[in-house]
Amino acid sequence: MTLEEARAGLKKLQAKLSAYNHATALIFYDGVTTAPKGVAENRAQTLSVLSEEMYLLTTGKETVELLTFLDEKKEELTEKEKRQVEILFKSIKDTQKIPMDEYVEYQRLLVEADDVWHTAKEESNFALFEPILEKIFETQKKFAAYTDPEKDSYDHWLNEYEDGLNKEICDRFFGTLRERLVPLIKKIGEKEQVSNDCLKGDFPFDKQEEFSYFLMKTIGLDLNKVGFGTTEHPFTISFGSHNDERITTHFHKEDLSYSMFSVIHEGGHALYDTHSAPDLAYTVLDGGVSMGIHESQSRFVENILGRSREFAYYIFPEVVKYFPEVGKYTEEDFYKAINRVEPSLIRTEADELTYSLHVMIRYEIEKKVMAGELKVHDIPSEWNRLYKEYLGVDVPDDKRGCLQDSHWSGGSVGYFPSYALGSAYGAQFLSKMMETVDVYGDLKKGDFTNINKWNEEHIWKYGSLYKPGKLLSMVFEGKEFDPEFYIEYLEKKYKAIYGIE
Amino acid sequence: MTLEEARAGLKKLQAKLSAYNHATALIFYDGVTTAPKGVAENRAQTLSVLSEEMYLLTTGKETVELLTFLDEKKEELTEKEKRQVEILFKSIKDTQKIPMDEYVEYQRLLVEADDVWHTAKEESNFALFEPILEKIFETQKKFAAYTDPEKDSYDHWLNEYEDGLNKEICDRFFGTLRERLVPLIKKIGEKEQVSNDCLKGDFPFDKQEEFSYFLMKTIGLDLNKVGFGTTEHPFTISFGSHNDERITTHFHKEDLSYSMFSVIHEGGHALYDTHSAPDLAYTVLDGGVSMGIHESQSRFVENILGRSREFAYYIFPEVVKYFPEVGKYTEEDFYKAINRVEPSLIRTEADELTYSLHVMIRYEIEKKVMAGELKVHDIPSEWNRLYKEYLGVDVPDDKRGCLQDSHWSGGSVGYFPSYALGSAYGAQFLSKMMETVDVYGDLKKGDFTNINKWNEEHIWKYGSLYKPGKLLSMVFEGKEFDPEFYIEYLEKKYKAIYGIE
């Protein structure tokens, strides 16, 4: 094998992986958007075949030889190729440690889990989901032990979603947030509540859909490559490359803001994904690098930009065009309504300020289950206890409790902390961005050009070329990540809204 | 290799093929239903990788050894296994004769062709599509020559879509139809035209969608496994097995009947596919056996059942529920309107009687192009000439002329005759069915139970187990296929509607 042949082989291998990713992502997407109800078994059958094919492709003798050869010649590779080999080799080494039949079986389990979770949530029936969730947690532990036998199994998964993350860092980060935010939320609770009447009414689905497309255009998405669908639990997905992306939302007829901010949030993910440098397409460097950085982008667009006073004032007359009944309110009513702080039951509907507490509860539960300190059977009671303790709310049923999120049924244990972490990254990005971009001036005009250009230049174009730690230190020009930016941003914004000194 | 191992291998091979078929079918479906406009290149990239993988799978050494082994032991196989080996072996032998790079290149070309055809049709610009269409016809000739060097290349493709079909049979079949139907159509033209006013109006898309689901249920589709989408040119597709099927339609705001009968037609395909015997799933015997039999089912439900006086009278009050403005007409107005005979431009909108002439024109053109007697460049002028000659209509532009159908851009040359053939099979099925089923009595009640049961028992459950010729002779209890049934059915129906002696 010559170096040139190996390079061509590396390219071809990644093109194949992209194609399989396209196929499996689309099958998933179809399943949760437009597929009829009764076809989950067929989907499971296909995904189990395709995941076996991918397993054979990534762990096959030919691939291992190719990567070993390239790894030995790494000094002669470009920076991008070097990182591609590194990522592929890690994934192969990880995958090889998992017996193929267990890997394939797990893929099947997850398809079934999605189905069962949907029914369980609908019926608010945790008992139905419990045996499958138990298997998922067990498998997560087992796979972590196969891959990283030396490491704590929850630390393994935290690190998978955000390179470098572990329980110690999370405990410290969440500790700081709790210490500073809980008193602020308490003070807000003592003040007069702001009204969100302007977000309630009757908002027809077809108007909400038109408005969604308007929002997608406004935040700068290229509608030629970003599609739109509706589903139960909104998400964003790439079909094999950053040139084919879909966002999804869920419409509530009586609530304007849920889908509006869901579209902006998912749009933030899609902005990140679709702006990988063109030459990263069909390689493992295509698309966002980690869940934390991904959530930093989505929550940046959703909250820091989308819920700013300037954007609220810009978008309000547009909102009225689609939903004339909102015209009886003012811009300021609208701004306050979309920033109303109210401890509540549902994470995805939580306001910007209490959001982290929802994440913290999931983190505490995952940590305990993975450590064997909490049984899956006892998740509902622990969930309800923590919601009472942190947020002061009573959980009336599991549908609005521990069955609300799709993450666990999708096998994503260790993912949640990245939401809170991402929010905190975003506030620090803002402070850097404002050194050169008139962020709030642009938001007044609904102009995302310079904001997006800054993000593209500093974050998006790199795809997965740099690990999150390296990327952050590049953006922050050597400074460390510091949650203080986030806390100060929140304190300033919400003290003003609620008139707290 | 033991026989049991080989049998397991046969099962696994077919499961893999089903999974790849699911993936590629879904990527196609997504592309023509909900995908954003600019992602065709990404789709092409993925499909080229997956088709290469399928090529390697079906022609690989392991597969050839497996099938050779099974072929030698065929006396020990079940009837189903024997037929599976036969189908797979034929497909492998055919595929092996085509060089892999040409095969993969052709898959890419077809993806591009779909895209270019859409634009060309939109702009009514044949010149844009011409070079690609030329390549498609060239490739069809070349592949036919690789596969069947002894055979005429158009005969090869006719036979691919309908086992046993060739130009001689088509010439005779179409000759008979022309001889009997053209005079009838001429007589009708001299009579007073029936009105179709009751089908014209303003029919909102959301109501048409609700009505589509109602129709799907009425004809007996299982909505748990048959999904629904909208597209430019309606079609039906299976996702890897008969347990996951989709039909599509296209709504015209001002025209009620287009989507209504498109849904019933595609629903007929889906009824056939989804009623393969359960144990055929994930094998090559799953789903309909040939295009002719497939179209016999879809056109049977669309025309013989769906446009019967009995069904028209049954469905009319339901139509009025969805579209109250139609309430000012009578059942008889509705029946006549959906059977109005009018030589026209668009095949998919043609009435039952003139439909075969549209097919005949495409057949004549394909035959000449494949024989080198007509240049692709001259298709538009030949198309327009034949429309004038057979149907007496002037074609105003290629959009409503030779660019109207998606078949050629999808590489389906030789497919069209099966539409006319299928219609004729259907009339003969009807005469058999009526020996034991009160077809028109059931249609009066909108009850498809016994009709569907008869079809399932005689046709659907067999999937692709029997070749079309064998299947027909089983259904007809040894009698030959005879177009006379079709011609008599048409004559009786349309003479009554137009008051011809």
Side-chain angles (χ1 to χ4, degrees):
Chain A
M1 181 157 40
T2 69
L3 184 58
E4 279 326 295
E5 282 164 359
R7 284 183 140 141
L10 179 65
K11 206 174 154 199
K12 178 136 197 193
L13 170 65
Q14 294 178 91
K16 278 193 190 183
L17 289 174
S18 301
Y20 281 107
N21 283 331
H22 184 168
T24 53
L26 180 55
I27 289 168
F28 167 77
Y29 178 82
D30 173 61
V32 296
T33 54
T34 56
K37 289 270 177 204
V39 303
E41 179 49 36
N42 189 55
R43 219 152 52 228
Q45 166 82 15
T46 296
L47 288 175
S48 95
V49 170
L50 294 181
S51 61
E52 188 178 333
E53 295 283 283
M54 282 175 90
Y55 182 93
L56 292 170
L57 175 66
T58 48
T59 61
K61 195 168 151 271
E62 220 176 293
T63 302
V64 174
E65 276 172 14
L66 173 75
L67 292 172
T68 310
F69 177 89
L70 285 165
D71 193 46
E72 280 162 8
K73 305 255 177 192
K74 71 174 154 227
E75 293 321 311
E76 294 169 58
L77 300 180
T78 66
E79 182 187 25
K80 283 173 190 157
E81 287 168 335
K82 236 184 279 181
R83 174 82 169 133
Q84 287 163 11
V85 171
E86 180 192 25
I87 291 175
L88 285 164
F89 229 167
K90 176 181 181 318
S91 134
I92 288 171
K93 283 178 191 155
D94 288 357
T95 314
Q96 272 185 325
K97 291 174 189 158
I98 299 168
M100 182 168 101
D101 54 337
E102 291 187 31
Y103 174 83
V104 172
E105 187 45 48
Y106 189 49
Q107 300 309 312
R108 276 196 83 93
L109 177 71
L110 292 182
V111 176
E112 195 194 337
D114 179 67
D115 212 40
V116 173
W117 167 71
H118 272 99
T119 312
K121 185 178 169 183
E122 232 171 88
E123 300 172 0
S124 197
N125 180 355
F126 183 77
L128 188 67
F129 187 45
E130 187 186 320
I132 281 200
L133 185 58
E134 215 159 76
K135 274 193 222 161
I136 289 174
F137 271 108
E138 278 320 304
T139 314
Q140 293 289 107
K141 280 187 219 176
K142 205 163 56 176
F143 284 7
Y146 284 142
T147 318
D148 248 342
E150 307 294 311
K151 212 179 203 163
D152 173 89
S153 66
Y154 193 42
D155 276 345
H156 167 79
W157 288 111
L158 288 171
N159 183 68
E160 281 298 298
Y161 289 114
E162 192 66 10
D163 195 87
L165 195 63
N166 57 35
K167 287 192 278 192
E168 200 193 322
I169 297 173
C170 282
D171 284 339
R172 207 164 50 222
F173 172 64
F174 284 123
T176 312
L177 286 191
R178 190 163 39 207
E179 195 184 304
R180 297 277 291 276
L181 298 187
V182 169
L184 175 60
I185 293 167
K186 203 165 170 264
K187 271 188 203 154
I188 287 173
E190 291 156 3
K191 290 280 176 177
E192 193 188 347
Q193 183 56 292
V194 302
S195 161
N196 61 355
D197 286 352
C198 68
L199 305 175
K200 306 293 166 198
D202 182 22
F203 308 104
F205 289 163
D206 57 342
K207 284 287 151 197
Q208 289 202 54
E209 185 167 332
E210 283 174 37
F211 184 52
S212 301
Y213 279 105
F214 170 77
L215 288 171
M216 288 167 75
K217 265 186 278 184
T218 301
I219 65 171
L221 286 169
D222 177 355
L223 298 192
N224 261 315
K225 51 182 176 175
V226 184
F228 175 81
T230 58
T231 189
E232 175 67 27
H233 181 93
F235 62 95
T236 302
I237 198 162
S238 291
F239 288 167
S241 93
H242 71 267
N243 294 314
D244 191 350
E245 186 93 3
R246 310 297 163 96
I247 70 164
T248 59
T249 190
H250 186 91
F251 298 132
H252 293 275
K253 219 174 159 92
E254 69 298 342
D255 174 6
L256 167 63
S257 63
Y258 180 84
S259 172
M260 172 174 175
F261 286 97
S262 160
V263 166
I264 300 178
H265 176 95
E266 301 306 333
H269 284 299
L271 279 168
Y272 183 16
D273 276 339
T274 55
H275 286 84
S276 286
D279 66 346
L280 301 186
Y282 310 115
T283 76
V284 290
L285 305 186
D286 199 38
V289 63
S290 73
M291 295 306 139
I293 306 289
H294 240 302
E295 289 298 328
S296 83
Q297 295 309 296
S298 54
R299 298 190 62 78
F300 182 79
V301 184
E302 178 194 348
N303 293 320
I304 294 182
L305 306 181
R307 295 188 205 265
S308 67
R309 171 175 269 114
E310 290 72 12
F311 185 70
Y313 274 66
Y314 162 75
I315 203 78
F316 184 74
E318 299 292 341
V319 172
V320 174
K321 276 188 206 159
Y322 291 90
F323 311 105
E325 63 188 285
V326 182
K328 60 180 178 231
Y329 299 93
T330 67
E331 286 90 340
E332 188 63 17
D333 292 335
F334 184 71
Y335 169 62
K336 285 195 168 148
I338 60 175
N339 286 295
R340 174 180 156 118
V341 175
E342 191 171 36
S344 67
L345 290 166
I346 310 294
R347 177 183 60 83
T348 55
E349 296 168 15
D351 58 81
E352 188 182 10
L353 190 61
T354 59
Y355 186 84
S356 305
L357 301 184
H358 291 262
V359 172
M360 225 179 284
I361 290 167
R362 287 150 180 81
Y363 166 69
E364 297 292 344
I365 288 176
E366 288 184 345
K367 192 170 72 169
K368 283 181 193 157
V369 174
M370 292 297 279
E373 294 162 7
L374 178 71
K375 286 189 186 142
V376 167
H377 180 76
D378 297 326
I379 287 178
S381 59
E382 178 67 2
W383 181 285
N384 300 354
R385 191 185 68 76
L386 286 168
Y387 262 80
K388 188 72 187 171
E389 183 182 326
Y390 289 2
L391 287 151
V393 297
D394 292 304
V395 179
D397 49 40
D398 294 336
K399 183 182 173 147
R400 285 170 283 184
C402 63
L403 287 173
Q404 67 181 262
D405 296 307
S406 66
H407 298 63
W408 292 340
S409 68
S412 300
V413 172
Y415 184 116
F416 284 116
S418 58
Y419 287 114
L421 215 57
S423 304
Y425 292 161
Q428 197 166 346
F429 290 152
L430 173 70
S431 98
K432 283 307 290 182
M433 189 187 283
M434 285 178 66
E435 291 174 9
T436 53
V437 178
D438 179 14
V439 176
Y440 292 112
D442 286 353
L443 286 176
K444 268 186 200 159
K445 297 176 282 177
D447 182 358
F448 282 67
T449 318
N450 290 322
I451 295 168
N452 287 348
K453 206 184 275 170
W454 191 94
N455 276 323
E456 182 174 10
E457 208 46 49
H458 291 82
I459 300 167
W460 298 345
K461 73 174 182 189
Y462 294 118
S464 300
L465 183 56
Y466 302 116
K467 288 187 180 180
K470 167 96 187 273
L471 183 68
L472 289 178
S473 103
M474 282 167 63
V475 181
F476 302 150
E477 293 173 334
K479 294 240 171 67
E480 294 267 297
F481 159 61
D482 181 355
E484 191 59 29
F485 286 93
Y486 183 46
I487 292 170
E488 275 177 20
Y489 155 82
L490 290 174
E491 283 180 344
K492 191 175 158 206
K493 177 173 176 181
Y494 287 94
K495 281 184 176 174
I497 291 173
Y498 280 91
I500 293 168
E501 299 297 295
Chain B
M1 182 156 41
T2 68
L3 183 60
E4 279 327 295
E5 281 165 0
R7 284 185 141 139
L10 178 65
K11 206 175 156 199
K12 178 138 197 190
L13 171 65
Q14 295 177 90
K16 278 193 189 181
L17 289 174
S18 302
Y20 281 107
N21 284 331
H22 184 169
T24 53
L26 181 56
I27 289 168
F28 167 78
Y29 178 83
D30 173 61
V32 297
T33 53
T34 56
K37 288 271 177 205
V39 303
E41 178 51 35
N42 189 55
R43 218 153 51 228
Q45 166 82 16
T46 296
L47 287 175
S48 96
V49 170
L50 293 181
S51 60
E52 189 178 332
E53 296 282 282
M54 281 174 89
Y55 182 93
L56 293 170
L57 175 66
T58 48
T59 62
K61 196 167 151 271
E62 219 177 295
T63 302
V64 174
E65 276 171 14
L66 174 74
L67 293 172
T68 309
F69 177 88
L70 285 165
D71 193 45
E72 282 162 8
K73 305 255 176 193
K74 71 175 153 227
E75 293 321 312
E76 294 169 60
L77 300 179
T78 65
E79 183 187 24
K80 282 174 189 158
E81 286 169 336
K82 237 183 278 181
R83 175 80 170 136
Q84 289 162 9
V85 171
E86 181 192 24
I87 291 175
L88 285 163
F89 229 165
K90 177 184 181 316
S91 136
I92 288 172
K93 283 179 189 155
D94 289 356
T95 315
Q96 272 185 326
K97 292 175 187 157
I98 298 167
M100 182 167 100
D101 53 339
E102 292 186 31
Y103 173 83
V104 172
E105 186 47 47
Y106 189 50
Q107 300 309 311
R108 277 195 82 95
L109 178 71
L110 292 182
V111 175
E112 195 194 337
D114 179 68
D115 210 39
V116 173
W117 167 71
H118 271 99
T119 313
K121 185 179 169 183
E122 230 172 272
E123 299 172 1
S124 197
N125 180 355
F126 183 77
L128 186 68
F129 186 46
E130 186 186 320
I132 280 200
L133 184 58
E134 215 159 75
K135 273 193 223 163
I136 288 174
F137 271 108
E138 280 319 306
T139 312
Q140 294 288 107
K141 279 187 219 176
K142 207 163 53 178
F143 284 7
Y146 284 141
T147 317
D148 248 341
E150 307 296 308
K151 211 180 203 164
D152 174 87
S153 64
Y154 193 43
D155 276 345
H156 167 79
W157 289 111
L158 288 170
N159 183 68
E160 282 297 300
Y161 289 113
E162 193 66 10
D163 195 86
L165 196 63
N166 58 34
K167 286 193 280 193
E168 202 192 319
I169 297 174
C170 282
D171 284 339
R172 209 165 46 221
F173 171 65
F174 284 123
T176 312
L177 287 191
R178 190 163 40 207
E179 196 181 303
R180 299 277 290 277
L181 298 186
V182 170
L184 176 59
I185 293 167
K186 204 167 167 259
K187 272 188 202 155
I188 287 173
E190 291 157 3
K191 290 281 174 177
E192 193 189 344
Q193 182 56 293
V194 302
S195 161
N196 61 355
D197 286 353
C198 68
L199 305 174
K200 307 293 165 196
D202 182 21
F203 307 103
F205 289 163
D206 56 343
K207 284 287 152 197
Q208 289 202 52
E209 186 169 333
E210 283 173 38
F211 184 52
S212 302
Y213 280 105
F214 171 76
L215 288 170
M216 289 167 74
K217 265 186 278 183
T218 301
I219 66 171
L221 287 169
D222 177 355
L223 299 191
N224 262 314
K225 49 182 178 178
V226 184
F228 175 82
T230 60
T231 187
E232 175 67 25
H233 182 93
F235 63 93
T236 301
I237 198 162
S238 291
F239 288 167
S241 94
H242 71 267
N243 294 315
D244 190 351
E245 186 91 6
R246 311 297 164 95
I247 70 165
T248 60
T249 191
H250 186 92
F251 298 131
H252 293 275
K253 217 172 162 81
E254 70 299 342
D255 174 5
L256 166 63
S257 62
Y258 180 84
S259 172
M260 173 174 173
F261 286 97
S262 160
V263 166
I264 299 179
H265 176 95
E266 301 305 334
H269 285 300
L271 278 169
Y272 185 15
D273 277 340
T274 54
H275 285 84
S276 286
D279 66 345
L280 301 184
Y282 311 115
T283 77
V284 291
L285 305 186
D286 199 37
V289 63
S290 73
M291 294 309 139
I293 306 290
H294 240 303
E295 288 299 329
S296 83
Q297 295 310 295
S298 54
R299 297 190 62 77
F300 182 79
V301 185
E302 178 194 348
N303 293 321
I304 294 182
L305 307 180
R307 294 187 204 266
S308 67
R309 171 175 268 114
E310 290 72 14
F311 185 70
Y313 274 65
Y314 163 75
I315 202 81
F316 184 75
E318 299 291 339
V319 171
V320 174
K321 276 188 206 159
Y322 291 91
F323 312 105
E325 63 187 285
V326 182
K328 62 181 177 226
Y329 299 93
T330 67
E331 286 91 342
E332 188 63 18
D333 292 336
F334 183 71
Y335 169 61
K336 286 194 168 150
I338 61 175
N339 287 295
R340 174 180 157 118
V341 174
E342 191 171 35
S344 67
L345 292 166
I346 309 294
R347 177 184 60 83
T348 55
E349 297 168 16
D351 57 82
E352 187 182 10
L353 190 61
T354 59
Y355 186 85
S356 304
L357 301 183
H358 291 262
V359 171
M360 225 178 286
I361 291 168
R362 287 149 179 81
Y363 167 70
E364 297 292 344
I365 287 176
E366 288 184 345
K367 191 171 73 169
K368 285 181 190 155
V369 173
M370 292 297 279
E373 292 162 9
L374 177 70
K375 286 187 186 145
V376 167
H377 180 76
D378 297 326
I379 287 179
S381 59
E382 179 66 2
W383 182 284
N384 300 354
R385 192 185 69 75
L386 287 169
Y387 262 80
K388 188 71 185 171
E389 185 182 324
Y390 289 1
L391 287 151
V393 297
D394 293 304
V395 179
D397 49 38
D398 294 337
K399 183 181 173 148
R400 284 170 285 183
C402 64
L403 288 173
Q404 67 184 264
D405 295 307
S406 66
H407 299 62
W408 292 341
S409 67
S412 300
V413 172
Y415 184 117
F416 284 115
S418 58
Y419 286 115
L421 216 54
S423 304
Y425 292 161
Q428 197 166 346
F429 291 152
L430 174 69
S431 99
K432 283 307 288 181
M433 189 185 282
M434 285 177 67
E435 292 175 9
T436 53
V437 178
D438 179 14
V439 176
Y440 293 112
D442 286 354
L443 286 174
K444 268 186 200 160
K445 296 175 282 177
D447 182 358
F448 282 68
T449 318
N450 290 322
I451 296 169
N452 287 348
K453 206 184 275 170
W454 190 94
N455 277 322
E456 180 174 11
E457 207 47 47
H458 291 83
I459 301 166
W460 299 343
K461 72 174 183 189
Y462 295 118
S464 300
L465 182 57
Y466 302 116
K467 288 186 180 181
K470 167 97 188 273
L471 184 68
L472 290 177
S473 103
M474 282 166 63
V475 181
F476 301 151
E477 291 173 335
K479 295 240 170 68
E480 292 268 298
F481 159 61
D482 182 354
E484 192 58 30
F485 287 92
Y486 183 46
I487 291 169
E488 275 176 23
Y489 155 81
L490 290 173
E491 283 180 345
K492 190 176 159 205
K493 176 172 177 181
Y494 288 94
K495 282 183 175 173
I497 290 174
Y498 281 91
I500 293 168
E501 300 298 296

